[in-house]
Short mmCIF file of all heavy atoms in Angstrom, two decimals:
data_model
loop_
_atom_site.label_atom_id
_atom_site.label_comp_id
_atom_site.label_asym_id
_atom_site.label_seq_id
_atom_site.Cartn_x
_atom_site.Cartn_y
_atom_site.Cartn_z
N LEU Y 523 24.21 -5.84 20.83
CA LEU Y 523 24.32 -7.28 20.74
C LEU Y 523 25.56 -7.77 21.47
O LEU Y 523 25.53 -8.79 22.18
CB LEU Y 523 24.32 -7.73 19.30
CG LEU Y 523 24.41 -9.23 19.05
CD1 LEU Y 523 23.22 -9.95 19.61
CD2 LEU Y 523 24.64 -9.51 17.56
N THR Y 524 26.67 -7.08 21.23
CA THR Y 524 27.91 -7.50 21.88
C THR Y 524 27.86 -7.38 23.38
O THR Y 524 28.29 -8.34 24.09
CB THR Y 524 29.13 -6.60 21.36
OG1 THR Y 524 29.14 -6.70 19.93
CG2 THR Y 524 30.45 -7.06 21.91
N LYS Y 525 27.28 -6.35 23.90
CA LYS Y 525 27.10 -6.12 25.35
C LYS Y 525 26.31 -7.28 25.90
O LYS Y 525 26.64 -7.84 26.94
CB LYS Y 525 26.45 -4.81 25.64
CG LYS Y 525 26.20 -4.57 27.07
CD LYS Y 525 25.47 -3.23 27.19
CE LYS Y 525 25.02 -3.03 28.68
NZ LYS Y 525 24.24 -1.79 28.87
N THR Y 526 25.20 -7.69 25.22
CA THR Y 526 24.31 -8.73 25.71
C THR Y 526 25.13 -10.04 25.73
O THR Y 526 24.96 -10.83 26.72
CB THR Y 526 23.08 -8.86 24.83
OG1 THR Y 526 22.38 -7.65 24.83
CG2 THR Y 526 22.19 -9.97 25.33
N MET Y 527 25.85 -10.34 24.69
CA MET Y 527 26.64 -11.61 24.64
C MET Y 527 27.71 -11.66 25.67
O MET Y 527 27.95 -12.72 26.24
CB MET Y 527 27.13 -11.80 23.23
CG MET Y 527 26.12 -12.02 22.25
SD MET Y 527 24.78 -13.24 22.70
CE MET Y 527 25.76 -14.72 22.86
N VAL Y 528 28.34 -10.55 25.99
CA VAL Y 528 29.33 -10.50 27.02
C VAL Y 528 28.68 -10.82 28.40
O VAL Y 528 29.19 -11.56 29.21
CB VAL Y 528 30.09 -9.15 27.06
CG1 VAL Y 528 30.86 -9.00 28.32
CG2 VAL Y 528 30.93 -9.04 25.79
N ILE Y 529 27.49 -10.23 28.67
CA ILE Y 529 26.80 -10.43 29.92
C ILE Y 529 26.33 -11.88 30.02
O ILE Y 529 26.56 -12.54 31.00
CB ILE Y 529 25.60 -9.49 30.01
CG1 ILE Y 529 26.08 -8.06 30.16
CG2 ILE Y 529 24.72 -9.87 31.24
CD1 ILE Y 529 24.95 -7.07 30.05
N VAL Y 530 25.81 -12.41 28.96
CA VAL Y 530 25.39 -13.85 28.95
C VAL Y 530 26.58 -14.73 29.14
O VAL Y 530 26.51 -15.73 29.93
CB VAL Y 530 24.68 -14.20 27.63
CG1 VAL Y 530 24.50 -15.69 27.43
CG2 VAL Y 530 23.32 -13.50 27.56
N SER Y 531 27.68 -14.49 28.57
CA SER Y 531 28.92 -15.35 28.67
C SER Y 531 29.45 -15.25 30.12
O SER Y 531 29.85 -16.30 30.72
CB SER Y 531 29.97 -14.91 27.65
OG SER Y 531 29.50 -15.09 26.34
N ALA Y 532 29.42 -13.98 30.63
CA ALA Y 532 29.96 -13.90 32.02
C ALA Y 532 29.05 -14.62 32.96
O ALA Y 532 29.55 -15.28 33.94
CB ALA Y 532 30.04 -12.41 32.39
N CYS Y 533 27.76 -14.56 32.80
CA CYS Y 533 26.81 -15.28 33.71
C CYS Y 533 26.98 -16.80 33.50
O CYS Y 533 26.89 -17.52 34.52
CB CYS Y 533 25.39 -14.85 33.38
SG CYS Y 533 25.01 -13.26 34.09
N PHE Y 534 27.25 -17.22 32.29
CA PHE Y 534 27.44 -18.64 32.05
C PHE Y 534 28.62 -19.12 32.85
O PHE Y 534 28.67 -20.19 33.55
CB PHE Y 534 27.64 -18.90 30.59
CG PHE Y 534 27.95 -20.39 30.27
CD1 PHE Y 534 26.94 -21.28 30.11
CD2 PHE Y 534 29.21 -20.80 30.05
CE1 PHE Y 534 27.16 -22.61 29.83
CE2 PHE Y 534 29.50 -22.11 29.76
CZ PHE Y 534 28.49 -23.06 29.63
N VAL Y 535 29.78 -18.40 32.73
CA VAL Y 535 31.01 -18.79 33.44
C VAL Y 535 30.77 -18.73 34.96
O VAL Y 535 31.18 -19.64 35.69
CB VAL Y 535 32.19 -17.81 33.05
CG1 VAL Y 535 33.37 -18.00 33.94
CG2 VAL Y 535 32.56 -18.11 31.61
N ALA Y 536 30.10 -17.67 35.43
CA ALA Y 536 29.83 -17.53 36.91
C ALA Y 536 28.96 -18.68 37.41
O ALA Y 536 29.13 -19.15 38.55
CB ALA Y 536 29.20 -16.18 37.19
N CYS Y 537 28.02 -19.16 36.65
CA CYS Y 537 27.15 -20.23 37.04
C CYS Y 537 27.73 -21.57 36.92
O CYS Y 537 27.45 -22.48 37.79
CB CYS Y 537 25.80 -20.15 36.25
SG CYS Y 537 24.78 -18.68 36.68
N TRP Y 538 28.55 -21.84 35.94
CA TRP Y 538 29.02 -23.19 35.67
C TRP Y 538 30.42 -23.44 36.19
O TRP Y 538 30.76 -24.60 36.48
CB TRP Y 538 28.98 -23.51 34.15
CG TRP Y 538 27.63 -23.85 33.72
CD1 TRP Y 538 26.70 -23.00 33.13
CD2 TRP Y 538 27.04 -25.13 33.85
NE1 TRP Y 538 25.57 -23.73 32.89
CE2 TRP Y 538 25.71 -25.02 33.30
CE3 TRP Y 538 27.42 -26.36 34.31
CZ2 TRP Y 538 24.82 -26.07 33.21
CZ3 TRP Y 538 26.53 -27.42 34.29
CH2 TRP Y 538 25.24 -27.26 33.70
N LEU Y 539 31.22 -22.45 36.46
CA LEU Y 539 32.58 -22.64 36.95
C LEU Y 539 32.62 -23.34 38.33
O LEU Y 539 33.44 -24.29 38.44
CB LEU Y 539 33.30 -21.33 37.07
CG LEU Y 539 34.82 -21.41 37.45
CD1 LEU Y 539 35.51 -22.21 36.34
CD2 LEU Y 539 35.39 -19.99 37.60
N PRO Y 540 31.70 -23.03 39.32
CA PRO Y 540 31.78 -23.79 40.56
C PRO Y 540 31.55 -25.26 40.36
O PRO Y 540 32.15 -26.11 41.02
CB PRO Y 540 30.70 -23.15 41.39
CG PRO Y 540 30.54 -21.79 40.84
CD PRO Y 540 30.82 -21.90 39.36
N SER Y 541 30.65 -25.59 39.44
CA SER Y 541 30.35 -26.99 39.22
C SER Y 541 31.55 -27.75 38.57
O SER Y 541 31.89 -28.86 39.01
CB SER Y 541 29.12 -27.12 38.25
OG SER Y 541 28.81 -28.44 37.96
N HIS Y 542 32.24 -27.08 37.67
CA HIS Y 542 33.35 -27.77 37.04
C HIS Y 542 34.58 -27.81 38.09
O HIS Y 542 35.26 -28.84 38.02
CB HIS Y 542 33.81 -26.97 35.85
CG HIS Y 542 32.80 -27.14 34.70
ND1 HIS Y 542 32.57 -28.35 34.10
CD2 HIS Y 542 31.99 -26.23 34.08
CE1 HIS Y 542 31.63 -28.18 33.17
NE2 HIS Y 542 31.30 -26.92 33.19
N VAL Y 543 34.72 -26.83 38.88
CA VAL Y 543 35.81 -26.88 39.88
C VAL Y 543 35.50 -27.97 40.86
O VAL Y 543 36.40 -28.76 41.23
CB VAL Y 543 35.92 -25.49 40.58
CG1 VAL Y 543 36.83 -25.61 41.78
CG2 VAL Y 543 36.50 -24.48 39.59
N HIS Y 544 34.25 -28.11 41.33
CA HIS Y 544 33.88 -29.16 42.24
C HIS Y 544 34.14 -30.56 41.61
O HIS Y 544 34.65 -31.43 42.27
CB HIS Y 544 32.40 -29.05 42.62
CG HIS Y 544 31.94 -30.04 43.58
ND1 HIS Y 544 31.23 -31.13 43.15
CD2 HIS Y 544 32.08 -30.17 44.90
CE1 HIS Y 544 30.97 -31.93 44.15
NE2 HIS Y 544 31.47 -31.38 45.29
N TYR Y 545 33.76 -30.75 40.39
CA TYR Y 545 33.95 -31.92 39.68
C TYR Y 545 35.41 -32.29 39.58
O TYR Y 545 35.82 -33.42 39.85
CB TYR Y 545 33.33 -31.90 38.28
CG TYR Y 545 33.58 -33.19 37.51
CD1 TYR Y 545 32.74 -34.29 37.77
CD2 TYR Y 545 34.47 -33.24 36.49
CE1 TYR Y 545 33.01 -35.48 37.05
CE2 TYR Y 545 34.72 -34.39 35.77
CZ TYR Y 545 33.94 -35.51 36.03
OH TYR Y 545 34.13 -36.69 35.38
N PHE Y 546 36.28 -31.32 39.26
CA PHE Y 546 37.67 -31.51 39.16
C PHE Y 546 38.27 -31.94 40.44
O PHE Y 546 39.09 -32.87 40.53
CB PHE Y 546 38.34 -30.21 38.60
CG PHE Y 546 39.81 -30.25 38.42
CD1 PHE Y 546 40.33 -30.96 37.30
CD2 PHE Y 546 40.69 -29.76 39.33
CE1 PHE Y 546 41.69 -31.02 37.09
CE2 PHE Y 546 42.04 -29.82 39.16
CZ PHE Y 546 42.56 -30.45 38.03
N ILE Y 547 37.95 -31.22 41.56
CA ILE Y 547 38.49 -31.53 42.82
C ILE Y 547 38.07 -32.90 43.34
O ILE Y 547 38.89 -33.65 43.83
CB ILE Y 547 37.98 -30.41 43.87
CG1 ILE Y 547 38.75 -29.11 43.58
CG2 ILE Y 547 38.25 -30.89 45.27
CD1 ILE Y 547 38.22 -27.93 44.39
N THR Y 548 36.79 -33.29 43.13
CA THR Y 548 36.36 -34.59 43.61
C THR Y 548 36.93 -35.69 42.75
O THR Y 548 37.18 -36.82 43.25
CB THR Y 548 34.85 -34.66 43.70
OG1 THR Y 548 34.27 -34.35 42.43
CG2 THR Y 548 34.30 -33.74 44.77
N THR Y 549 37.00 -35.49 41.47
CA THR Y 549 37.49 -36.54 40.54
C THR Y 549 38.88 -36.85 40.84
O THR Y 549 39.35 -38.07 40.88
CB THR Y 549 37.32 -36.16 39.12
OG1 THR Y 549 35.85 -35.93 38.83
CG2 THR Y 549 37.76 -37.21 38.17
N PHE Y 550 39.73 -35.89 41.00
CA PHE Y 550 41.19 -36.06 41.15
C PHE Y 550 41.55 -36.12 42.69
O PHE Y 550 42.78 -36.08 42.96
CB PHE Y 550 41.97 -35.01 40.42
CG PHE Y 550 41.77 -35.18 38.94
CD1 PHE Y 550 41.06 -34.21 38.22
CD2 PHE Y 550 42.32 -36.25 38.21
CE1 PHE Y 550 40.84 -34.35 36.88
CE2 PHE Y 550 42.16 -36.35 36.85
CZ PHE Y 550 41.32 -35.42 36.16
N GLN Y 551 40.58 -36.10 43.53
CA GLN Y 551 40.84 -36.25 44.99
C GLN Y 551 41.84 -35.23 45.50
O GLN Y 551 42.86 -35.53 46.16
CB GLN Y 551 41.35 -37.69 45.33
CG GLN Y 551 40.47 -38.78 44.84
CD GLN Y 551 39.49 -39.23 45.88
OE1 GLN Y 551 39.87 -39.19 47.06
NE2 GLN Y 551 38.29 -39.52 45.52
N LEU Y 552 41.62 -33.97 45.11
CA LEU Y 552 42.53 -32.87 45.48
C LEU Y 552 42.30 -32.40 46.85
O LEU Y 552 43.11 -31.64 47.40
CB LEU Y 552 42.48 -31.74 44.46
CG LEU Y 552 42.89 -32.08 43.05
CD1 LEU Y 552 42.70 -30.92 42.12
CD2 LEU Y 552 44.30 -32.59 43.00
N ALA Y 553 41.20 -32.75 47.51
CA ALA Y 553 40.87 -32.28 48.81
C ALA Y 553 40.56 -33.56 49.63
O ALA Y 553 39.94 -34.51 49.12
CB ALA Y 553 39.65 -31.36 48.79
N LYS Y 554 40.95 -33.50 50.92
CA LYS Y 554 40.65 -34.61 51.78
C LYS Y 554 39.17 -34.66 52.02
O LYS Y 554 38.48 -33.65 52.10
CB LYS Y 554 41.36 -34.46 53.12
CG LYS Y 554 42.87 -34.63 53.05
CD LYS Y 554 43.48 -34.51 54.39
CE LYS Y 554 44.98 -34.66 54.35
NZ LYS Y 554 45.65 -34.68 55.56
N ASN Y 555 38.66 -35.94 52.09
CA ASN Y 555 37.21 -36.12 52.28
C ASN Y 555 36.36 -35.47 51.27
O ASN Y 555 35.19 -35.07 51.63
CB ASN Y 555 36.80 -35.67 53.74
CG ASN Y 555 37.56 -36.34 54.80
OD1 ASN Y 555 37.95 -37.55 54.67
ND2 ASN Y 555 37.88 -35.62 55.89
N ALA Y 556 36.77 -35.32 50.08
CA ALA Y 556 36.03 -34.75 49.00
C ALA Y 556 35.00 -35.82 48.55
O ALA Y 556 35.37 -36.92 48.11
CB ALA Y 556 36.89 -34.33 47.84
N ARG Y 557 33.76 -35.47 48.63
CA ARG Y 557 32.64 -36.36 48.24
C ARG Y 557 31.98 -35.74 47.01
O ARG Y 557 31.73 -34.52 46.95
CB ARG Y 557 31.65 -36.56 49.33
CG ARG Y 557 32.22 -37.31 50.53
CD ARG Y 557 31.20 -37.43 51.63
NE ARG Y 557 30.76 -36.16 52.05
CZ ARG Y 557 29.49 -35.92 52.45
NH1 ARG Y 557 28.56 -36.84 52.51
NH2 ARG Y 557 29.15 -34.68 52.91
N PHE Y 558 31.70 -36.65 46.02
CA PHE Y 558 31.04 -36.14 44.86
C PHE Y 558 29.61 -35.71 45.11
O PHE Y 558 29.20 -34.65 44.69
CB PHE Y 558 31.12 -37.16 43.70
CG PHE Y 558 30.68 -36.66 42.43
CD1 PHE Y 558 31.46 -35.78 41.65
CD2 PHE Y 558 29.41 -36.97 41.88
CE1 PHE Y 558 31.07 -35.25 40.48
CE2 PHE Y 558 28.98 -36.44 40.69
CZ PHE Y 558 29.84 -35.59 40.00
N TYR Y 559 28.88 -36.57 45.84
CA TYR Y 559 27.53 -36.19 46.20
C TYR Y 559 27.50 -35.74 47.64
O TYR Y 559 28.00 -36.36 48.51
CB TYR Y 559 26.59 -37.39 46.01
CG TYR Y 559 26.48 -37.79 44.60
CD1 TYR Y 559 27.13 -38.93 44.09
CD2 TYR Y 559 25.71 -37.04 43.70
CE1 TYR Y 559 27.02 -39.31 42.77
CE2 TYR Y 559 25.59 -37.44 42.36
CZ TYR Y 559 26.27 -38.57 41.92
OH TYR Y 559 26.13 -38.93 40.62
N GLY Y 560 26.86 -34.62 47.87
CA GLY Y 560 26.72 -34.05 49.24
C GLY Y 560 26.09 -32.69 49.08
O GLY Y 560 25.56 -32.25 48.08
N ARG Y 561 26.19 -31.95 50.18
CA ARG Y 561 25.53 -30.60 50.25
C ARG Y 561 26.21 -29.70 49.17
O ARG Y 561 25.51 -28.92 48.49
CB ARG Y 561 25.67 -30.02 51.62
CG ARG Y 561 24.99 -28.71 51.75
CD ARG Y 561 25.14 -28.10 53.12
NE ARG Y 561 24.51 -28.97 54.07
CZ ARG Y 561 24.83 -29.11 55.33
NH1 ARG Y 561 25.86 -28.38 55.83
NH2 ARG Y 561 24.18 -29.93 56.16
N LEU Y 562 27.56 -29.67 49.14
CA LEU Y 562 28.21 -28.78 48.21
C LEU Y 562 27.87 -29.16 46.75
O LEU Y 562 27.67 -28.28 45.93
CB LEU Y 562 29.73 -28.89 48.40
CG LEU Y 562 30.59 -27.94 47.52
CD1 LEU Y 562 30.22 -26.47 47.75
CD2 LEU Y 562 32.06 -28.15 47.75
N TYR Y 563 27.68 -30.42 46.48
CA TYR Y 563 27.34 -30.84 45.08
C TYR Y 563 25.97 -30.28 44.77
O TYR Y 563 25.74 -29.75 43.64
CB TYR Y 563 27.29 -32.37 45.06
CG TYR Y 563 26.70 -32.89 43.77
CD1 TYR Y 563 27.38 -32.91 42.60
CD2 TYR Y 563 25.43 -33.41 43.72
CE1 TYR Y 563 26.89 -33.33 41.40
CE2 TYR Y 563 24.87 -33.84 42.58
CZ TYR Y 563 25.54 -33.82 41.39
OH TYR Y 563 25.01 -34.22 40.24
N ARG Y 564 25.03 -30.39 45.74
CA ARG Y 564 23.68 -29.86 45.40
C ARG Y 564 23.71 -28.32 45.19
O ARG Y 564 23.06 -27.78 44.33
CB ARG Y 564 22.73 -30.20 46.59
CG ARG Y 564 22.35 -31.68 46.57
CD ARG Y 564 21.15 -31.91 47.48
NE ARG Y 564 21.39 -31.49 48.83
CZ ARG Y 564 21.93 -32.20 49.82
NH1 ARG Y 564 22.30 -33.43 49.55
NH2 ARG Y 564 22.09 -31.70 51.04
N ILE Y 565 24.50 -27.62 46.03
CA ILE Y 565 24.58 -26.21 45.91
C ILE Y 565 25.15 -25.78 44.53
O ILE Y 565 24.59 -24.95 43.81
CB ILE Y 565 25.47 -25.64 46.99
CG1 ILE Y 565 24.72 -25.71 48.36
CG2 ILE Y 565 25.79 -24.16 46.71
CD1 ILE Y 565 25.55 -25.41 49.53
N VAL Y 566 26.32 -26.38 44.10
CA VAL Y 566 26.91 -25.99 42.83
C VAL Y 566 26.03 -26.45 41.67
O VAL Y 566 26.00 -25.79 40.62
CB VAL Y 566 28.37 -26.57 42.68
CG1 VAL Y 566 29.24 -25.97 43.69
CG2 VAL Y 566 28.43 -28.04 42.66
N THR Y 567 25.26 -27.49 41.86
CA THR Y 567 24.31 -27.93 40.77
C THR Y 567 23.19 -26.92 40.67
O THR Y 567 22.84 -26.56 39.52
CB THR Y 567 23.79 -29.34 41.14
OG1 THR Y 567 24.88 -30.25 41.13
CG2 THR Y 567 22.79 -29.72 40.03
N TYR Y 568 22.67 -26.51 41.81
CA TYR Y 568 21.60 -25.44 41.67
C TYR Y 568 22.15 -24.14 41.13
O TYR Y 568 21.38 -23.50 40.38
CB TYR Y 568 20.96 -25.21 43.05
CG TYR Y 568 20.18 -26.41 43.54
CD1 TYR Y 568 20.26 -26.76 44.88
CD2 TYR Y 568 19.34 -27.17 42.71
CE1 TYR Y 568 19.50 -27.84 45.32
CE2 TYR Y 568 18.62 -28.22 43.17
CZ TYR Y 568 18.69 -28.55 44.45
OH TYR Y 568 17.94 -29.63 44.95
N VAL Y 569 23.35 -23.81 41.45
CA VAL Y 569 23.93 -22.55 40.87
C VAL Y 569 24.01 -22.74 39.29
O VAL Y 569 23.74 -21.78 38.53
CB VAL Y 569 25.26 -22.24 41.50
CG1 VAL Y 569 26.05 -21.16 40.73
CG2 VAL Y 569 25.08 -21.81 42.94
N ALA Y 570 24.52 -23.89 38.88
CA ALA Y 570 24.66 -24.14 37.43
C ALA Y 570 23.31 -24.10 36.76
O ALA Y 570 23.14 -23.52 35.66
CB ALA Y 570 25.36 -25.48 37.20
N LEU Y 571 22.32 -24.71 37.37
CA LEU Y 571 20.98 -24.76 36.80
C LEU Y 571 20.30 -23.36 36.84
O LEU Y 571 19.44 -23.09 35.98
CB LEU Y 571 20.09 -25.81 37.51
CG LEU Y 571 20.57 -27.21 37.30
CD1 LEU Y 571 19.73 -28.18 38.06
CD2 LEU Y 571 20.56 -27.57 35.81
N SER Y 572 20.70 -22.47 37.72
CA SER Y 572 20.13 -21.18 37.73
C SER Y 572 20.45 -20.35 36.49
O SER Y 572 19.78 -19.36 36.18
CB SER Y 572 20.62 -20.42 39.01
OG SER Y 572 22.00 -20.06 38.87
N ASN Y 573 21.43 -20.80 35.73
CA ASN Y 573 21.79 -20.15 34.50
C ASN Y 573 20.59 -20.13 33.54
O ASN Y 573 20.43 -19.20 32.78
CB ASN Y 573 23.01 -20.81 33.84
CG ASN Y 573 23.52 -20.02 32.69
OD1 ASN Y 573 23.78 -18.88 32.75
ND2 ASN Y 573 23.69 -20.67 31.52
N VAL Y 574 19.81 -21.22 33.57
CA VAL Y 574 18.66 -21.31 32.73
C VAL Y 574 17.67 -20.21 33.09
O VAL Y 574 16.97 -19.71 32.22
CB VAL Y 574 17.97 -22.73 32.96
CG1 VAL Y 574 16.68 -22.83 32.15
CG2 VAL Y 574 18.97 -23.81 32.47
N CYS Y 575 17.55 -19.85 34.33
CA CYS Y 575 16.67 -18.76 34.77
C CYS Y 575 17.17 -17.41 34.51
O CYS Y 575 16.41 -16.45 34.32
CB CYS Y 575 16.31 -18.93 36.26
SG CYS Y 575 15.62 -20.49 36.65
N VAL Y 576 18.50 -17.26 34.54
CA VAL Y 576 19.05 -15.96 34.39
C VAL Y 576 19.06 -15.47 32.92
O VAL Y 576 18.88 -14.27 32.67
CB VAL Y 576 20.59 -15.98 34.96
CG1 VAL Y 576 21.32 -14.75 34.60
CG2 VAL Y 576 20.55 -16.20 36.41
N ASN Y 577 19.30 -16.35 31.97
CA ASN Y 577 19.37 -16.01 30.57
C ASN Y 577 18.13 -15.23 30.06
O ASN Y 577 18.29 -14.19 29.41
CB ASN Y 577 19.69 -17.19 29.69
CG ASN Y 577 21.19 -17.56 29.68
OD1 ASN Y 577 21.99 -16.78 30.04
ND2 ASN Y 577 21.47 -18.76 29.29
N PRO Y 578 16.94 -15.75 30.29
CA PRO Y 578 15.75 -14.95 29.81
C PRO Y 578 15.67 -13.54 30.48
O PRO Y 578 15.26 -12.58 29.76
CB PRO Y 578 14.61 -15.79 30.28
CG PRO Y 578 15.09 -17.15 30.41
CD PRO Y 578 16.51 -16.98 30.92
N LEU Y 579 16.09 -13.44 31.69
CA LEU Y 579 16.08 -12.13 32.33
C LEU Y 579 17.08 -11.17 31.66
O LEU Y 579 16.81 -9.99 31.46
CB LEU Y 579 16.36 -12.22 33.78
CG LEU Y 579 15.32 -13.00 34.62
CD1 LEU Y 579 15.82 -13.17 36.05
CD2 LEU Y 579 13.98 -12.28 34.53
N ILE Y 580 18.24 -11.71 31.32
CA ILE Y 580 19.24 -10.87 30.69
C ILE Y 580 18.72 -10.41 29.35
O ILE Y 580 18.90 -9.22 29.01
CB ILE Y 580 20.57 -11.66 30.52
CG1 ILE Y 580 21.22 -11.96 31.87
CG2 ILE Y 580 21.55 -10.88 29.62
CD1 ILE Y 580 22.36 -12.97 31.75
N TYR Y 581 18.24 -11.25 28.55
CA TYR Y 581 17.67 -10.95 27.24
C TYR Y 581 16.55 -9.92 27.38
O TYR Y 581 16.46 -8.98 26.59
CB TYR Y 581 17.25 -12.16 26.43
CG TYR Y 581 18.41 -13.03 25.98
CD1 TYR Y 581 18.58 -14.33 26.37
CD2 TYR Y 581 19.37 -12.48 25.13
CE1 TYR Y 581 19.60 -15.11 25.93
CE2 TYR Y 581 20.48 -13.27 24.67
CZ TYR Y 581 20.59 -14.58 25.08
OH TYR Y 581 21.62 -15.34 24.70
N ALA Y 582 15.65 -10.12 28.31
CA ALA Y 582 14.55 -9.31 28.48
C ALA Y 582 14.95 -7.84 28.84
O ALA Y 582 14.44 -6.90 28.29
CB ALA Y 582 13.58 -9.87 29.53
N PHE Y 583 15.91 -7.75 29.77
CA PHE Y 583 16.29 -6.42 30.22
C PHE Y 583 17.20 -5.72 29.21
O PHE Y 583 17.47 -4.51 29.34
CB PHE Y 583 16.91 -6.46 31.59
CG PHE Y 583 15.87 -6.64 32.69
CD1 PHE Y 583 15.77 -7.85 33.37
CD2 PHE Y 583 15.00 -5.63 32.96
CE1 PHE Y 583 14.74 -8.10 34.32
CE2 PHE Y 583 13.98 -5.83 33.95
CZ PHE Y 583 13.90 -6.98 34.65
N GLN Y 584 17.75 -6.48 28.28
CA GLN Y 584 18.50 -5.81 27.24
C GLN Y 584 17.71 -5.39 26.04
O GLN Y 584 18.08 -4.64 25.16
CB GLN Y 584 19.66 -6.77 26.75
CG GLN Y 584 20.70 -7.04 27.75
CD GLN Y 584 21.45 -5.80 28.17
OE1 GLN Y 584 21.84 -4.96 27.37
NE2 GLN Y 584 21.75 -5.63 29.47
N TYR Y 585 16.47 -5.96 26.03
CA TYR Y 585 15.53 -5.60 24.89
C TYR Y 585 14.84 -4.29 25.16
O TYR Y 585 14.19 -4.10 26.14
CB TYR Y 585 14.54 -6.76 24.76
CG TYR Y 585 13.63 -6.68 23.65
CD1 TYR Y 585 14.12 -6.52 22.28
CD2 TYR Y 585 12.26 -6.86 23.81
CE1 TYR Y 585 13.25 -6.52 21.23
CE2 TYR Y 585 11.40 -6.75 22.68
CZ TYR Y 585 11.88 -6.62 21.47
OH TYR Y 585 11.03 -6.58 20.36
N GLU Y 586 15.01 -3.29 24.24
CA GLU Y 586 14.49 -1.97 24.48
C GLU Y 586 12.97 -1.92 24.65
O GLU Y 586 12.45 -1.16 25.49
CB GLU Y 586 14.91 -1.05 23.27
CG GLU Y 586 16.39 -0.66 23.32
CD GLU Y 586 16.75 0.07 24.54
OE1 GLU Y 586 16.02 0.93 25.03
OE2 GLU Y 586 17.89 -0.16 25.05
N ASP Y 587 12.23 -2.69 23.84
CA ASP Y 587 10.79 -2.66 23.98
C ASP Y 587 10.33 -3.22 25.34
O ASP Y 587 9.34 -2.68 25.89
CB ASP Y 587 10.11 -3.52 22.86
CG ASP Y 587 10.33 -2.85 21.46
OD1 ASP Y 587 10.49 -1.64 21.42
OD2 ASP Y 587 10.17 -3.58 20.47
N PHE Y 588 10.98 -4.15 25.86
CA PHE Y 588 10.69 -4.67 27.17
C PHE Y 588 10.94 -3.60 28.25
O PHE Y 588 10.09 -3.44 29.17
CB PHE Y 588 11.46 -5.92 27.46
CG PHE Y 588 11.21 -6.47 28.86
CD1 PHE Y 588 10.09 -7.31 29.09
CD2 PHE Y 588 12.06 -6.17 29.90
CE1 PHE Y 588 9.85 -7.78 30.34
CE2 PHE Y 588 11.81 -6.66 31.15
CZ PHE Y 588 10.69 -7.48 31.37
N LYS Y 589 12.02 -2.90 28.14
CA LYS Y 589 12.35 -1.89 29.10
C LYS Y 589 11.34 -0.73 29.08
O LYS Y 589 10.96 -0.27 30.12
CB LYS Y 589 13.82 -1.30 28.87
CG LYS Y 589 14.88 -2.37 29.27
CD LYS Y 589 16.26 -1.69 29.39
CE LYS Y 589 16.89 -1.47 28.02
NZ LYS Y 589 18.21 -1.03 28.11
N LYS Y 590 10.92 -0.36 27.88
CA LYS Y 590 9.93 0.69 27.77
C LYS Y 590 8.59 0.22 28.38
O LYS Y 590 7.92 1.02 29.09
CB LYS Y 590 9.66 1.07 26.32
CG LYS Y 590 10.85 1.79 25.70
CD LYS Y 590 10.59 2.08 24.23
CE LYS Y 590 11.78 2.66 23.59
NZ LYS Y 590 11.61 2.80 22.08
N ALA Y 591 8.21 -0.94 28.12
CA ALA Y 591 6.92 -1.53 28.68
C ALA Y 591 7.01 -1.63 30.22
O ALA Y 591 6.05 -1.38 30.93
CB ALA Y 591 6.59 -2.79 28.06
N ALA Y 592 8.18 -2.05 30.72
CA ALA Y 592 8.35 -2.17 32.18
C ALA Y 592 8.26 -0.84 32.84
O ALA Y 592 7.78 -0.72 34.02
CB ALA Y 592 9.66 -2.89 32.45
N ARG Y 593 8.78 0.18 32.22
CA ARG Y 593 8.76 1.56 32.84
C ARG Y 593 7.33 2.06 32.95
O ARG Y 593 7.03 2.82 33.88
CB ARG Y 593 9.60 2.51 32.02
CG ARG Y 593 11.06 2.24 32.23
CD ARG Y 593 11.90 3.31 31.46
NE ARG Y 593 13.28 2.88 31.43
CZ ARG Y 593 14.04 2.83 30.34
NH1 ARG Y 593 13.50 3.12 29.18
NH2 ARG Y 593 15.24 2.38 30.40
N LYS Y 594 6.45 1.68 32.02
CA LYS Y 594 5.08 2.13 32.02
C LYS Y 594 4.36 1.39 33.09
O LYS Y 594 3.68 1.72 33.96
CB LYS Y 594 4.39 1.87 30.68
CG LYS Y 594 4.91 2.81 29.60
CD LYS Y 594 4.16 2.52 28.36
CE LYS Y 594 4.71 3.41 27.23
NZ LYS Y 594 4.04 3.19 25.98
#
């Protein structure tokens, strides 16, 4: 259980950190020509939303019965 939660937490941070950094940079104008909406915004948003797809895979591959069935 602990291993699964560490993996889920690490994936959460990896998926959402770029979005929060982008928001911070654009909100406080830390970069020249920083635009809130643009190509980078779409990319970091898709990365953040990919967390929804990654979580079920993590849980499935950590579940012993699923791994046994997948091997067969």
Side-chain angles (χ1 to χ4, degrees):
L523 179 65
T524 304
K525 179 182 171 185
T526 302
M527 293 312 298
V528 167
I529 294 170
V530 168
S531 298
C533 286
F534 178 84
V535 169
C537 289
W538 281 97
L539 186 63
S541 178
H542 290 295
V543 169
H544 179 262
Y545 179 76
F546 181 78
I547 288 171
T548 55
T549 300
F550 295 108
Q551 304 270 322
L552 298 177
K554 290 183 179 182
N555 300 326
R557 295 180 298 149
F558 189 73
Y559 294 104
R561 182 180 299 152
L562 183 59
Y563 171 77
R564 287 193 305 271
I565 291 169
V566 297
T567 300
Y568 291 140
V569 170
L571 295 177
S572 71
N573 189 52
V574 174
C575 300
V576 170
N577 279 341
L579 295 174
I580 294 169
Y581 288 119
F583 285 108
Q584 293 296 318
Y585 186 54
E586 288 299 322
D587 291 338
F588 178 83
K589 288 195 279 189
K590 288 177 187 175
R593 287 185 191 128
K594 289 181 181 179

